[in-house]
Amino acid sequence: MYIEQINTKKFNLLLYVPIPLAFLVVILFNYVSTKDVNIEELMQIMIQNFGLNITFVALVAPLSIACLALLFWVKFVHQQSIRSLTTSREKVDWNRILFSFMVWSLITVFSVLLFYYMAPEDFVYNFKPLPFFTFLILAIILLPLQTSFEEYLFRGYLMQGIGVATKSRLIPLVVTSVLFGLMHIANPEVGKMGYIIMVYYIGTGFFLGIITLMDEGLELALGFHAANNLIGALLVTADWTALQTHSIFKDISEPSAGIDVLLPVVVIFPILLVIFGKKYGWSNWKEKLTGTITAEPSENLN
């Protein structure tokens, strides 16, 4: 079982404190320091001075590096294998990662094309070959690391640590989902659309937490999150988003929280849960999402 497998005699709750504490301090500092700052204006100044691609690297690289640091901490401080942080299976299932990536990529592409068809006046064609392909290389390198950090931290590291500490599956699901949503509270989208967009962020956290617990591994969450950020950043950007890129399209509409905020949480995510559940034979939903962690500590973890 994904959480239970780290319940070893080497498990030390105190070793879990530094990583999430440091990350929460950074998030809190970022929120407080930018509360009275016009983030959109600040972003435009950075872009004018350094360009879109350098600004993109400056924003994404820290979390990409943090991914490597977290894996190092798990491997050498906790003496836990990266495989056990990723999955309960004997080896990481790359087909699961690829399937989830492809499914959400297709949904993302379809959604962008649908919105473009419904309101073409809200978009401008933004494709410039050299800047785009430069960005493509940077995005392929950095964004999977950035999204993997968030998955390994919330659905991996914290899910497992809180689960073993509380002997519960529901508590880590709720805590990590809410924290994942709150991590985005300083995003410029929140300032533009209002706190209603937190429904999407927290709802996404719950969706990713559910598929992690039901599938007993991070693979589906890793694929989904990578597709969400990578394909989204390549397809469309706007002057008011956290990531502004040399995308194919640029959204020039006035931002508002509408159906695009609620539709994924209310409709698309439940459908995906059914698809994943059928494909991978999920069962015993109540126990896997709300059950008790009962496994006794084992000798070691490979």
Side-chain angles (χ1 to χ4, degrees):
M1 305 293 279
Y2 181 63
I3 292 179
E4 287 87 340
Q5 68 177 337
I6 71 149
N7 192 22
T8 73
K9 292 185 177 180
K10 292 182 178 180
F11 179 83
N12 185 344
L13 182 61
L14 291 178
L15 294 178
Y16 275 84
V17 175
I19 294 291
L21 181 61
F23 186 71
L24 287 174
V25 167
V26 170
I27 294 299
L28 182 61
F29 173 79
N30 183 48
Y31 175 70
V32 172
S33 63
T34 59
K35 192 173 182 180
D36 298 319
V37 176
N38 188 322
I39 300 297
E40 184 179 344
E41 183 178 315
L42 180 61
M43 287 282 291
Q44 291 307 313
I45 292 173
M46 289 181 63
I47 291 169
Q48 289 172 12
N49 290 336
F50 304 107
L52 277 174
N53 284 337
I54 298 299
T55 301
F56 166 77
V57 172
L59 293 174
V60 175
L63 291 185
S64 301
I65 295 171
C67 179
L68 302 178
L70 176 60
L71 297 181
F72 178 89
W73 182 271
V74 168
K75 180 70 175 178
F76 295 102
V77 177
H78 287 283
Q79 298 182 8
Q80 176 185 347
S81 68
I82 304 305
R83 191 276 309 164
S84 66
L85 183 66
T86 309
T87 186
S88 61
R89 285 167 273 278
E90 293 184 0
K91 60 181 181 179
V92 176
D93 189 342
W94 289 94
N95 286 330
R96 272 176 157 84
I97 296 175
L98 181 61
F99 178 73
S100 182
F101 183 92
M102 292 304 299
V103 167
W104 193 245
S105 294
L106 290 173
I107 292 174
T108 301
V109 171
F110 176 79
S111 300
V112 170
L113 293 178
L114 179 62
F115 283 121
Y116 179 76
Y117 175 79
M118 293 174 60
E121 68 278 5
D122 289 344
F123 298 87
V124 294
Y125 187 63
N126 191 53
F127 180 72
K128 301 179 183 65
L130 183 57
F132 174 82
F133 286 111
T134 302
F135 167 66
L136 175 62
I137 295 171
L138 294 171
I140 290 174
I141 295 171
L142 294 176
L143 281 178
L145 283 171
Q146 176 245 323
T147 58
S148 294
F149 168 71
E150 294 179 14
E151 291 310 309
Y152 275 121
L153 177 64
F154 290 100
R155 259 67 64 178
Y157 192 77
L158 289 177
M159 183 82 78
Q160 290 182 333
I162 295 172
V164 172
T166 62
K167 306 300 181 185
S168 167
R169 288 174 162 262
L170 180 61
I171 291 175
L173 172 60
V174 173
V175 170
T176 59
S177 300
V178 173
L179 287 178
F180 176 76
L182 293 177
M183 179 188 70
H184 297 85
I185 200 168
N187 283 14
E189 292 93 331
V190 178
K192 282 290 185 180
M193 296 184 180
Y195 288 109
I196 184 65
I197 197 175
M198 297 304 295
V199 172
Y200 171 75
Y201 289 133
I202 295 176
T204 301
F206 271 101
F207 168 71
L208 293 170
I210 289 170
I211 63 177
T212 297
L213 289 177
M214 290 304 304
D215 202 48
E216 298 292 355
L218 275 181
E219 291 98 334
L220 295 177
L222 287 168
F224 173 96
H225 205 156
N228 185 74
N229 287 31
L230 179 60
I231 304 303
L234 291 171
L235 284 178
V236 63
T237 189
D239 289 338
W240 43 268
T241 57
L243 288 181
Q244 297 181 38
T245 66
H246 286 292
S247 57
I248 296 175
F249 295 103
K250 186 172 184 177
D251 185 347
I252 58 173
S253 64
E254 186 63 27
S256 62
I259 190 172
D260 53 328
V261 172
L262 298 178
L263 186 64
V265 177
V266 177
V267 178
I268 300 178
F269 290 166
I271 292 175
L272 286 179
L273 288 176
V274 173
I275 293 173
F276 289 149
K278 291 290 185 181
K279 181 173 177 61
Y280 297 111
W282 295 347
S283 60
N284 200 13
W285 288 68
K286 183 178 179 181
E287 176 62 27
K288 285 189 173 183
L289 297 179
T290 66
T292 302
I293 306 298
T294 58
E296 293 296 323
S298 57
E299 290 293 334
N300 53 59
L301 180 63
N302 296 321

